[in-house]
Structures are given as structure tokens and as C-alpha cells.
Amino acid sequence: MKLLILDRDGVINYDSDAYIKSVDEWIPLPGSIEAIAQLSKAGWTVAIATNQSGIARGYYDIATLDAMHARLRALVAEQGGEVGLVVYCPHGPDEGCDCRKPKPGMLKIIAEHYKVPLAGIWFVGDSLGDLEAAKAVDSQPVLVKTGKGEKTQAKALPVGTLIFDDLAAVAAELINN
Ligand SMILES: O=P(O)(O)OC[C@@H](O)[C@H]1O[C@@H](OP(=O)(O)O)[C@@H](O)[C@@H](O)[C@@H]1O
Ligand SMILES: [Mg+2]
Ligand SMILES: [Zn+2]
């Protein structure tokens, strides 16, 4: 199967240093909804792995997070596509969980769900932790320059990281090649 895994904040929607705390603050980046829909219609399964420490920090609750993801699913469905499994880490940085990126726990959950190996699977993110999580399980780290991506690009990236302007460019590459 053709599986693509996406980070959420800074890849699908605008990110904020103040966290994305409500559905109203969850605003898709230009072309991201269309990109997910086009990938889906081209036979790709698009899953999401997102750190959501705002839950642990008390900035928003699970119901609000679920409402953001319902909105994402509705917008993609309006374009004829669908969103696959969404996995989030609700923990804080000091809780020592196995799912918070750069740990690859969420990627492993997604791979287990779809019964596919993670080797070579593209994981698209805007933060170094996204790329490190991919590298940890031999997935393909893919950096987009949206969200924190331009800042991340200035750091030492995992060897072999692919770089694209945005999710739309990633989708065009996957669909056309
Ligand atoms: O990019 P994804 O994984 O979808 O989500 C990132 C968010 O959970 C938040 O992650 C926080 O990092 P800390 O969790 O505070 O280290 C900050 O970077 C926020 O700006 C950001 O909105
Ligand atoms: Mg991000
Ligand atoms: Zn976690």
C-alpha cells in the first residue's frame, strides 16, 4: 500500500508558538487540504503523527483536539479525499512517554495499524524531531519549509533528508513520479 505519514502543525495547518488551542486557531496552510485530497484520490493512505503537549499543559482538551481533526477530515472529504489514522502524543516533554517525537512511537503505531513496514515510508514534518523520528525507524525524513521548516533547515539534518517548499510540492512529487 502507498502510505504517507504527515506531521500536523506547520505541515497541514499554520503553527503558533502559542500552540493551536481551538478549532478556530486551526487554519489549513494554502494547498494542504487539496494536497491530502489529491494524494488520497491517487491511492495514497495519509496518516498523521502529531505531538500535542498542549493537552498536558492544559491549553486545550481531547474534545477540542478531536474537533480539529473532525474539521480536517470534513475539509478533505469536501475535496473527495479522506484522512487515515491520526495519532497524537498528549504528553508533556518531561513525562518520558514512548510516543512524543523525536521518539518514533507514533510512527510504529501507524505502521502496526496498517501492517506495513516503516522502512522508506515518507514522514513529512517541519521540525527536527519529526525528521529524527523518521530516521530512527529507517523511514524517509521529508522537511517542508512551512511552519518551523525554514528554521529547521538551518540545523544539521539527518542524512538523506528530502526538502520541499510545502505539502503541495510533496504531493506533486509523489503523484507525478
Ligand atoms: O508539529 P506537531 O507535532 O503536529 O505539533 C506541534 C505542537 O504540538 C506544538 O509543539 C510545541 O512544542 P513542545 O511540545 O512544547 O516541545 C511548540 O513547538 C508549538 O509551537 C507547537 O504548536
Ligand atoms: Mg510540526
Ligand atoms: Zn506521548
Side-chain angles (χ1 to χ4, degrees):
M1 76 182 295
K2 296 189 293 189
L3 175 63
L4 175 68
I5 308 176
L6 306 179
D7 170 51
R8 194 196 81 180
D9 297 334
V11 174
I12 299 172
N13 56 277
Y14 289 95
D15 198 359
S16 164
D17 289 340
Y19 298 74
I20 304 303
K21 304 181 288 299
S22 68
V23 177
D24 287 346
E25 290 182 4
W26 186 89
I27 300 167
L29 282 157
S32 68
I33 299 299
E34 293 79 0
I36 295 170
Q38 290 307 321
L39 283 159
S40 171
K41 288 186 282 189
W44 287 83
T45 296
V46 181
I48 296 170
T50 177
N51 283 352
Q52 290 301 323
S53 70
I55 297 284
R57 299 171 192 277
Y59 297 159
Y60 46 90
D61 59 16
I62 296 286
T64 300
L65 192 60
D66 288 345
M68 292 180 204
H69 299 154
R71 175 113 179 91
L72 165 63
R73 292 186 187 278
L75 289 172
V76 172
E78 279 175 12
Q79 306 262 347
E82 67 177 307
V83 177
L85 184 64
V86 177
V87 180
Y88 57 83
C89 165
H91 306 111
D94 302 330
E95 294 187 54
C97 72
D98 289 331
C99 44
R100 178 180 163 83
K101 298 173 290 185
K103 288 182 182 175
M106 291 190 282
L107 303 183
K108 291 179 179 175
I109 290 168
I110 291 168
E112 173 57 32
H113 176 81
Y114 289 109
K115 302 282 185 264
V116 298
L118 277 168
I121 296 286
W122 286 27
F123 178 43
V124 185
D126 67 318
S127 298
L128 186 58
D130 300 324
L131 308 176
E132 290 169 337
K135 204 69 182 174
V137 287
D138 200 26
S139 291
Q140 172 60 61
V142 181
L143 176 66
V144 286
K145 297 180 188 175
T146 49
K148 297 179 171 70
E150 289 200 337
K151 268 192 258 175
T152 301
Q153 190 178 12
K155 299 176 181 177
L157 304 181
V159 171
T161 296
L162 302 176
I163 303 176
F164 292 87
D165 285 340
D166 54 21
L167 182 55
V170 174
E173 174 69 22
L174 291 175
I175 292 169
N176 300 327
N177 293 300

